[in-house]
C-alpha cells in the first residue's frame, strides 16, 4: 500500500472542533469517529488526535513509521499541548495521554488501553505537585509501567501481581490504595527491574519513545490470532486496519470528587428514551 504525504494521516480534535466526523469510520475507526463527532457537537471531550487506520497496514508491511507520520504526530502533540496548557514530558503540569486502538468494526483481541503514558521520574513529580497527592501520583506511575509492560512488551501479568502482593504484605494493606507513597515508589523500581531482566533493556523513560512504542503495539494488535479469527468468522476485511486514538488523560481516581462511569440516552433494557447510567 502506498500512502502519500498529501493524505492526512493524523486528525486532531479539541476545543470544540475536530478534523473528522462520524462518517469517517473507515479512516478514524469507530472510537476516533465518535470522538470527532462528540467534539463537533460541543460535548466536552478531552482533546486528542487519531492516527488514520491506513497507516496500520503501511506499518505492518514495512515495520517502520514513515518520516512524515512522525512530523504530523509531533505537530498534533504541539496542538495538544497548546489546547491543554501542558507539556509532554514537562516537570510542571505534565501532559499525560491514553493510547487506544479503534477499528471501524469493534472486535475482540485488539490492544488493551494504555493509561498515563508520559510518566517518568520527572513528570511523576509534576503530577504529585499538581495533585497534592504523592500516593496518587506514584500509583498512577505504577499502573502505567505495569500496563506498558504487559501490553507493549507482552510480558505476563502474574509476576507484577506477585510483586504488588509482596509490597502489600509488608505494608499490611489489603488493597492497592493502602500502599503508602514510598511503597508505591519502591514498587515502580521493582517493576522496572523485572522488566529490564525480561526484555534485556531498561524501561523507556523518554515520553516520545513510550508513545511510538504504544502506537506500534496498536498496529501490531491488528494481527493477533483472536482478532484475525474474529474477522474471518464475521467476514470483516483484513484491509481495514486499526486507527490509534491518543487522548488527554482525565482521572477518575484523583480524589473524593472524582469518578468514572457510563451514560446512555436510552434505557438499554426497555429502549425507553431517558437518561441511564452507572458510576
Amino acid at each position: 500500500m502506498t500512502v502519500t504525504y498529501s493524505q492526512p494521516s493524523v486528525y486532531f480534535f479539541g476545543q470544540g472542533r475536530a478534523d473528522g466526523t462520524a462518517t469517517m469510520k473507515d479512516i478514524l475507526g469507530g472510537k476516533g469517529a465518535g470522538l470527532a463527532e462528540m467534539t463537533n457537537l460541543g460535548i466536552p471531550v478531552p482533546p486528542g488526535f487519531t492516527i488514520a487506520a491506513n497507516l496500520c497496514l503501511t506499518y505492518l508491511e514495512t515495520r517502520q513509521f514513515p518520516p512524515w507520520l512522525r512530523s504530523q504526530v509531533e505537530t498534533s502533540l504541539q496542538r495538544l499541548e497548546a489546547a491543554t496548557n501542558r507539556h509532554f514530558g514537562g516537570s510542571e503540569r505534565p501532559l499525560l495521554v491514553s493510547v487506544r486502538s479503534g477499528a471501524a468494526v469493534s472486535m475482540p483481541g485488539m490492544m488493551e488501553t494504555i493509561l498515563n503514558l508520559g510518566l517518568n521520574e520527572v513528570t511523576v513529580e509534576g503530577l504529585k505537585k499538581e495533585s497534592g497527592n504523592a500516593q496518587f501520583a506514584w500509583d498512577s506511575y505504577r499502573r502505567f509501567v505495569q500496563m506498558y509492560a504487559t501490553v507493549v512488551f507482552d510480558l505476563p501479568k502474574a509476576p507484577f501481581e506477585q510483586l504488588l502482593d509482596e509490597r502489600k504484605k509488608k505494608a499490611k494493606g489489603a488493597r492497592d490504595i493502602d500502599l503508602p507513597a514510598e511503597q508505591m515508589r519502591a514498587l515502580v523500581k521493582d517493576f522496572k527491574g523485572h522488566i529490564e531482566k525480561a526484555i534485556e533493556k531498561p524501561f523507556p523513560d523518554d515520553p516520545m519513545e513510550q508513545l511510538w512504542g504504544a502506537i506500534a503495539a496498536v498496529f501490531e494488535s491488528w494481527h493477533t490470532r483472536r482478532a484475525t479469527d474474529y474477522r474471518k468468522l464475521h467476514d470483516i476485511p483484513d484491509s481495514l486496519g486499526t486507527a490509534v486514538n491518543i487522548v488527554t488523560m482525565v482521572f477518575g481516581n484523583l480524589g473524593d470528587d472524582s469518578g468514572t462511569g457510563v451514560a446512555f440516552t436510552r434505557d438499554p433494557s426497555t429502549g425507553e428514551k431517558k437518561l441511564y447510567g452507572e458510576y
Side-chain angles (χ1 to χ4, degrees), residues 15 79-87 92-95:
Q15 297 178 308
R79 291 181 66 182
L80 194 54
E81 289 176 328
T84 59
N85 192 28
R86 295 178 175 277
H87 180 58
E92 300 283 337
R93 289 179 52 80
L95 172 64

Side-chain angles (χ1 to χ4, degrees), residues 47-65:
F49 55 92
T50 300
I51 300 175
N54 60 354
L55 267 297
C56 172
L57 304 180
T58 301
Y59 174 82
L60 290 175
E61 287 177 3
T62 64
R63 288 302 191 276
Q64 291 182 333
F65 298 111

Side-chain angles (χ1 to χ4, degrees), residues 56 59-60 100-102 107-112 151 214-228 231 242-243:
C56 172
Y59 174 82
L60 290 175
R100 289 176 171 87
S101 64
M107 67 185 72
M110 300 301 293
M111 193 191 87
E112 296 179 32
V151 173
I215 293 170
V218 172
F219 289 157
E220 294 280 359
S221 71
W222 183 248
H223 277 345
T224 62
R225 178 67 180 272
R226 192 177 177 198
T228 301
R231 290 198 296 275
T242 179

Side-chain angles (χ1 to χ4, degrees), residues 7-26:
Q7 292 175 287
S9 298
V10 183
Y11 295 76
F12 189 84
F13 55 89
Q15 297 178 308
R17 294 183 61 185
D19 296 338
T21 67
T23 64
M24 299 171 62
K25 283 189 177 182
D26 286 351

